[in-house]
Amino acid sequence: MIPSARPAFSAAAIIAVAATIGVGASSLWADPVSAEAAQWSDDLWTAALSGDRPAVESLLQRTPSAGISPGAREAYDNRLEQWRGNRAEDRRATEARIAEAWIEIRESLEDTDAQVKEDADAQAEENADESTRLIEAMRLLAEIQELSGDMGAPLDEPQVQALLSELRTHVDQWKAEGDLLPAQEGVFHLKAVHEDAGRPDAHAKLTTELEELSAQLMLLRRYAFPSFHSMFIEHAQRRGETPRTEYSPRLVDRWQEEVSGVDIEMALTALDLAEAEHVERVDLQTILNGGLDAVEDLAEAPGLHATFEGLADEAALAAFQAALDRVQAQLSVPGATVDARVLLDEILSANETSVNLPEQVVLREFVDGATDELDRFSDVIWPFDYEQFQRQMEGEFVGVGIQIQENELGEVKVVSPLEGKPAFFAGVQPDDIVVEVDGQSTAGWTVHDAVRHITGPRHTTVVLGLQREGEDDLVHVPIVRDIIRMPTVKGWSKALTPEGGEEKWEWFVDPDQRIGYIKLTGFDKKTYLDIRRALARMRATGPLNGLVLDLRHNPGGLLDQAAHICNLWVPEGTIVTGEDRNGERTFAMSAYPTRCFLAGTPTAVLVNQGSASASEIVAGCLQAHDAAVIVGDRSFGKGSVQTVHGVGPDASIKVTSQYYRLPSEDGITPGRLVHRRPGGDDWGVVPDLTVEMSLDDIEDAHRLRARAEAAASSLPWARERAAEDEEAHGPADINRLLTDGFDPQLELALLMLQATALAETAPTPMEALHLAERAQGIPPASP
């Protein structure tokens, strides 16, 4: 029998699926062992698919007994009791933490009142800590909002009103004094607590203010690095940190490399494509206004006169600003015909006769400001960034397998060696500073420079000179380059990885009930095949009675891979469609029965705010087809297609040109757009069952998973790092995500699948014998 709550695909599709995997249609899933178990399982799945969490939780605790294995039921009851205990502890800890956070906020405000009475010297010293105190109070407020599940109500409390008012006063003061870093941090936290709090106007205003502050800081960092660095040092010291004060001198003039190759034809081509291709039909006047605002910000930004002497000439600056005002007036005329070339020529001519900024600087800032008017996913890839962009698009390259970044001092720092890659086995460690590459100093190098020198032909050797904490001399590490690909498919727990060997995973989160677990970290060209291999390994030893598909913190990837993965569960119908700026369908991807291997397999998909793009297509498609229950938090809301167009020999523009549309849930009304559009209140994939996780739980779960994976490494230093904080955080056992309640989203998803599997678990022969003897009144045998 097929429970009605499971996907009601056509008989032809089911037969085709059965033929594909070589079984009869009745063998695609096991039958419930009794009418009572069938009804319970059916009611549970129906409640989950309809998003009725109270009904789900009630049904989970009303376990049937007829026909079910006593041993399996006892195991389920133990898991149920564990879930109850974890949730009760969560509620207790949440209530206690909310009360504690309110006390800390009140104490913070009381400290402020006491400080007013202090003498001037003490007050001046205390002012240095104002940003730290206020930001900590704002973090407490955000924690209260998150834990209470109510973003709006806490903002109405008198002590919160006082806190917001005080921070607003300090932000205005910091801005007036040119102290941009604490001002940016303050506005960031003000914006965060107003998000989804029922105050859209305040949130929109703070968003604009944050964008303006971030733009000013970006200009300082790019064109006046010494001033930016001094500001950074001062801000860090105010927070009680002791940052290093030296930095690479090359950072002072690196802006010249960042604008190198930019020309007016490149800029005009980018502007033309932005107007012609963007899905929201942003008009040319709006686009050009954004560019003009960016040039005005450049002219008015404090601290740039040391780099651009013309900005220090008040008369020249006034003349340039007057010329920009005239251009602004032209753009403000309703219905005016605008010519981008004429406008840019006028700006460049005014610049040349006044402040005389480098033309490439003006062009880059103008076009960056113009594309900011489109959306956050549309931008220009300038020649400086082009090579790195090409590498990212390829997804697979020859290198050593390390993630690097530029720290605040301009050093090339190792974020992490990639597990199982050449640098990992060679002994490169997190936080190493790359000081040399093949004997050449990295002083002043950008990340792009480091990538160019570290990568090279396959099977050749590169020697990294690393500065490592605790080592007096450089650590020289020879590494043989190889093809680098980050696996995107992970299982539940990792087996010990032999040096140079392939990662091996345990795929069952519940081996007894044969419930599998697959975590996808992205969608590259091998993701679908890797999932197929994982499924084959699970099914090689028996049936697959349920599956958790974890898409949390998955930023997306290739659309075709997402479609193939959807087809594993969905045997027929639409997977996803695209539509352009005219609302016309641009493509449609459909399911094929011969590619469906999981139809009817009870599946729970986990999503959160970090699930985006291709992740949302998979979760949204399975939800629309009732092929899986979606558990977690609302997803990110990135359902758009970016088209890349060349604008020069080594430059491109990436423009949002289409939106993805999910399948219709009833076959009549249009499917949902998952993209979060400006001012919209409907976006992303909304879970069937919303289960929130605290920031502490997210951090604990992430740390535990990383430590558990590191503990399976073949390298002693990696295992040592995993064990370093065992005293503080407990054993690096991945099962603690469930037993210790760190992951309530996974815990609820798994319990539902265990309940479904329980309904299909008949007594073992020995249990059946004992049940028959009991029914006949035969006493159990003495031990």
Side-chain angles (χ1 to χ4, degrees):
M1 64 182 287
I2 303 174
S4 61
R6 287 181 176 162
F9 299 120
S10 70
I14 296 300
I15 292 170
V17 171
T20 298
I21 61 178
V23 299
S26 62
S27 302
L28 286 174
W29 43 76
D31 288 341
V33 295
S34 67
E36 180 190 10
Q39 189 63 55
W40 178 67
S41 174
D42 196 30
D43 289 347
L44 175 63
W45 211 245
T46 299
L49 289 171
S50 62
D52 189 348
R53 183 169 174 181
V56 167
E57 295 190 356
S58 175
L59 285 161
L60 286 172
Q61 300 177 74
R62 299 207 312 263
T63 318
S65 57
I68 290 178
S69 160
R73 175 170 176 170
E74 181 181 359
Y76 173 82
D77 287 342
N78 290 336
R79 298 185 191 105
L80 180 63
E81 188 59 34
Q82 175 184 284
W83 174 73
R84 286 177 180 147
N86 286 338
R87 299 293 66 77
E89 175 59 24
D90 273 354
R91 287 191 293 271
R92 185 204 64 76
T94 295
E95 292 169 0
R97 180 56 193 147
I98 289 175
E100 184 180 66
W102 278 123
I103 292 172
E104 291 177 22
I105 287 178
R106 284 194 292 271
E107 289 176 348
S108 174
L109 293 171
E110 289 167 1
D111 288 345
T112 303
D113 294 337
Q115 290 165 15
V116 173
K117 303 174 182 177
E118 297 177 359
D119 60 56
D121 290 341
Q123 182 67 48
E125 181 178 345
E126 191 65 34
N127 281 342
D129 297 324
E130 281 298 279
S131 64
T132 300
R133 179 184 63 79
L134 289 169
I135 295 309
E136 179 56 32
M138 292 296 290
R139 289 197 181 102
L140 292 168
L141 172 59
E143 186 177 6
I144 289 170
Q145 290 176 306
E146 177 203 6
L147 292 174
S148 67
D150 190 335
M151 298 295 290
L155 300 186
D156 295 326
E157 294 292 327
Q159 58 263 49
V160 171
Q161 291 287 320
L163 170 62
L164 298 179
S165 176
E166 184 183 1
L167 180 55
R168 180 73 260 176
T169 298
H170 278 84
V171 165
D172 292 340
Q173 179 181 340
W174 289 324
K175 288 170 66 175
E177 295 170 350
D179 206 354
L180 300 182
L181 281 172
Q184 180 198 43
E185 190 174 20
V187 174
F188 172 83
H189 286 280
L190 286 169
K191 172 181 175 290
V193 299
H194 282 84
E195 188 164 4
D196 298 329
R199 294 160 172 79
D201 292 342
H203 182 261
K205 184 177 179 181
L206 288 163
T207 298
T208 300
E209 185 178 10
L210 181 61
E211 290 171 351
E212 291 171 349
L213 285 166
S214 299
Q216 290 182 56
L217 284 166
M218 183 277 295
L219 290 171
L220 271 178
R221 194 182 195 284
R222 177 176 292 161
Y223 298 115
F225 188 82
S227 296
F228 173 84
H229 188 255
S230 296
M231 188 181 296
F232 170 83
I233 294 297
E234 183 180 347
H235 184 53
Q237 290 172 340
R238 271 201 302 255
R239 298 169 64 173
E241 301 170 3
T242 54
R244 291 164 55 189
T245 57
E246 68 277 13
Y247 60 85
S248 170
R250 185 175 174 183
L251 294 175
V252 177
D253 296 319
R254 194 176 70 188
W255 64 268
Q256 297 178 28
E257 299 175 39
E258 295 187 34
V259 303
S260 178
V262 178
D263 60 45
I264 191 167
E265 296 305 323
M266 187 182 293
L268 289 168
T269 303
L271 295 172
D272 287 344
L273 287 165
E275 181 195 14
E277 296 290 331
H278 196 264
V279 67
E280 289 288 348
R281 290 183 173 274
V282 182
D283 63 85
L284 184 58
Q285 281 181 294
T286 299
I287 292 171
L288 296 178
N289 262 314
L292 186 60
D293 289 343
V295 175
E296 289 175 342
D297 290 342
L298 175 67
E300 296 170 3
L304 300 190
H305 58 272
T307 304
F308 306 124
E309 295 180 358
L311 296 178
D313 185 330
E314 294 183 5
L317 179 58
F320 186 50
Q321 290 173 323
L324 295 179
D325 289 342
R326 289 193 295 272
V327 175
Q328 180 69 66
Q330 297 171 29
L331 283 175
S332 300
V333 177
T337 301
V338 181
D339 187 310
R341 182 180 292 275
V342 172
L343 183 142
L344 268 179
D345 283 342
E346 187 171 346
I347 292 173
L348 293 175
S349 177
N351 169 65
E352 187 177 0
T353 58
S354 57
V355 291
N356 199 28
L357 300 172
E359 181 176 301
Q360 292 170 319
V361 169
V362 177
L363 289 171
R364 169 156 186 170
E365 296 305 324
F366 185 94
V367 176
D368 283 347
T371 54
D372 282 345
E373 295 298 316
L374 304 178
D375 66 273
R376 54 183 163 170
F377 305 109
S378 299
D379 60 4
V380 174
I381 300 95
W382 299 106
F384 178 76
D385 302 305
Y386 190 73
E387 182 179 345
Q388 182 65 15
F389 175 75
Q390 291 293 95
R391 290 179 186 276
Q392 292 172 351
M393 293 290 287
E394 291 167 3
E396 188 175 87
F397 60 93
V398 175
V400 299
I402 53 174
Q403 294 176 320
I404 57 176
Q405 68 180 22
E406 181 183 310
N407 65 16
E408 65 276 4
L409 304 178
E411 299 168 322
V412 179
K413 175 184 175 181
V414 176
V415 177
S416 175
L418 304 182
E419 176 82 15
K421 305 306 175 189
F424 179 84
F425 291 121
V428 177
Q429 298 184 17
D431 300 325
D432 283 346
I433 303 297
V434 182
V435 178
E436 293 179 355
V437 177
D438 286 336
Q440 185 176 354
S441 172
T442 62
W445 280 14
T446 65
V447 169
H448 304 305
D449 295 328
V451 169
R452 278 193 291 268
H453 286 80
I454 293 173
T455 57
R458 191 180 185 189
H459 300 320
T460 59
T461 300
V462 60
V463 179
L464 303 186
L466 305 174
Q467 178 182 307
R468 180 172 297 164
E469 186 175 354
E471 299 285 348
D472 294 331
D473 300 324
L474 285 186
V475 178
H476 290 92
V477 180
I479 311 172
V480 178
R481 299 179 177 103
D482 206 343
I483 294 175
I484 303 300
R485 174 187 175 254
M486 280 292 290
T488 57
V489 179
K490 295 184 175 185
W492 173 241
S493 62
K494 184 187 290 187
L496 187 65
T497 304
E499 184 166 352
E502 183 181 355
E503 292 180 341
K504 296 186 182 300
W505 291 94
E506 167 56 56
W507 297 99
F508 288 104
V509 61
D510 183 346
D512 295 332
Q513 288 287 15
R514 298 192 61 79
I515 296 172
Y517 174 92
I518 292 177
K519 181 174 182 61
L520 295 188
T521 61
F523 294 80
D524 69 9
K525 61 185 180 182
K526 294 184 179 180
T527 301
Y528 171 72
L529 291 178
D530 285 348
I531 284 184
R532 290 286 304 274
R533 292 189 187 99
L535 293 171
R537 291 189 178 103
M538 285 185 246
R539 283 176 160 163
T541 55
L544 178 62
N545 295 331
L547 184 66
V548 175
L549 180 65
D550 194 341
L551 299 177
R552 293 174 296 180
H553 304 292
N554 182 326
L558 299 179
L559 173 62
D560 65 330
Q561 295 292 301
H564 290 328
I565 290 166
C566 290
N567 205 162
L568 289 171
W569 282 268
V570 179
E572 61 182 358
T574 300
I575 288 175
V576 65
T577 60
E579 61 182 50
D580 62 16
R581 57 196 281 163
N582 300 314
E584 299 292 332
R585 178 175 288 189
T586 55
F587 67 86
M589 293 185 170
S590 301
Y592 298 91
T594 54
R595 299 177 184 173
C596 181
F597 299 94
L598 293 172
T601 301
T603 301
V605 178
L606 303 181
V607 297
N608 65 5
Q609 293 178 346
S611 307
S613 192
S615 296
E616 295 174 290
I617 290 172
V618 172
C621 173
L622 299 190
Q623 184 180 53
H625 285 284
D626 280 345
V629 174
I630 314 301
V631 180
D633 286 319
R634 187 202 293 240
S635 63
F636 182 79
K638 198 277 184 183
S640 58
V641 181
Q642 282 68 49
T643 307
V644 179
H645 302 274
V647 297
D650 294 308
S652 296
I653 185 171
K654 181 162 53 99
V655 184
T656 298
S657 57
Q658 301 172 53
Y659 287 139
Y660 296 126
R661 189 174 288 279
L662 296 174
S664 169
E665 295 190 7
D666 58 11
I668 301 172
T669 57
R672 293 179 59 246
L673 293 176
V674 300
H675 195 73
R676 186 172 189 175
R677 303 166 84 173
D681 58 4
D682 180 28
W683 74 87
V685 176
V686 180
D688 299 311
L689 300 175
T690 296
V691 181
E692 296 176 346
M693 288 180 66
S694 70
L695 294 176
D696 285 343
D697 278 347
I698 292 172
E699 182 180 341
D700 289 341
H702 178 76
R703 181 192 300 112
L704 179 58
R705 180 171 289 280
R707 289 178 58 226
E709 291 186 20
S713 170
S714 62
L715 300 182
W717 69 264
R719 293 198 301 272
E720 289 168 6
R721 280 187 174 238
E724 279 176 358
D725 59 350
E726 184 164 321
E727 184 175 343
H729 301 290
D733 178 2
I734 194 66
N735 293 296
R736 292 179 59 220
L737 288 176
L738 300 168
T739 58
D740 290 7
F742 290 154
D743 195 339
Q745 295 171 344
L746 173 60
E747 198 173 358
L748 178 60
L750 179 59
L751 192 62
M752 286 193 303
L753 295 173
Q754 289 168 332
T756 303
L758 176 67
E760 299 168 353
T761 306
T764 65
M766 185 59 70
E767 288 176 330
L769 176 62
H770 291 161
L771 289 171
E773 291 174 342
R774 186 181 306 166
Q776 298 173 29
I778 301 174
S782 301

